[in-house]
Amino acid sequence: MRYVIFGDIHGNLEALDAVLEKITAEKADKYICIGDLVGYGADPAECIDKVRKLNPVLVAGNHDYAAAGLLNIDFFNAYAYKAIEWTKQHLSDEDKQFLQKITLMQKVNNLTIVHSTPRSPEMFEYIDNNYDVQLAFSYFDTGLCFIGHSHIPISFTLTRGVLSFSTEPYVPVSGSSKVIVNVGSVGQPRDENKDASYAVYDVEEGIVWIKRVEYDVQKAADKINKAGLPEILAERIKYGR
Ligand code: ZN
């Protein structure tokens, strides 16, 4: 059994197309999408359309709910706020209804899937310290949990009460540990690597691989500028920040 896991596309069609080309060659049995199909990038509707065609197991990100009118965006920073306002104007009612219906958390076989953290997924909090990571482990009962949200590929492993983390591109999965894998971001990586990120989980091998794909960043950035979206959104994807 092979899963391909990807998310945080953020309306970046160039990045999504590059990832789709790769993942069709991965011979996945099942696709999993971690959410944030829209927000920041210039092609939200096209990204929704392409993800829907893959028919993945899908969970909602904060930008999906924000664009669908389900989330108060007063706490978004200024450029994220502007991007959501722009995105709302560029989605059909049908697209918004689709986003509204996405659930926050899913369980498939031995996998938990959630955008932010299994602990109160509706709050869209970040796991950014040991305490939050420890807590997160007690809120899912599967061996493996896939997340996104921070746009930084990283894994956390809990083995007999001992917590470790890794930014290596391979993550061993064994029955004696629980593992949380952040699969990084397709459309707006923030780990100083501008290449799109996705993951492959091969159940028989017992390994999750984090993979990176080059794409036409300049084209995506030009589209952001042409659309009148905040300039910083075009700049940051050039550096993966
Ligand atoms: Zn995101």
Side-chain angles (χ1 to χ4, degrees), residues 8 10 36 115 149 151:
D8 288 292
H10 285 290
D36 271 2
H115 184 70
H149 197 39
H151 300 197

Side-chain angles (χ1 to χ4, degrees), residues 6-11 33-40 44-45 47-48 51 58-73 76 80 83-84 87-88 91-92 95-104 114-116 124 149 151:
F6 66 102
D8 288 292
I9 299 147
H10 285 290
C33 180
I34 304 286
D36 271 2
L37 280 57
V38 303
Y40 300 139
C47 288
I48 290 175
V51 170
L58 177 62
V59 293
N62 46 328
H63 290 255
D64 300 324
Y65 273 9
L70 289 181
L71 194 70
N72 182 344
I73 57 170
F76 275 40
I84 288 298
T87 300
K88 279 182 177 172
L91 290 180
S92 66
D95 284 336
K96 287 178 197 165
Q97 281 156 16
F98 171 75
L99 295 177
Q100 281 170 1
K101 285 189 199 129
I102 309 174
T103 54
L104 284 167
V114 63
H115 184 70
S116 55
F124 296 108
H149 197 39
H151 300 197

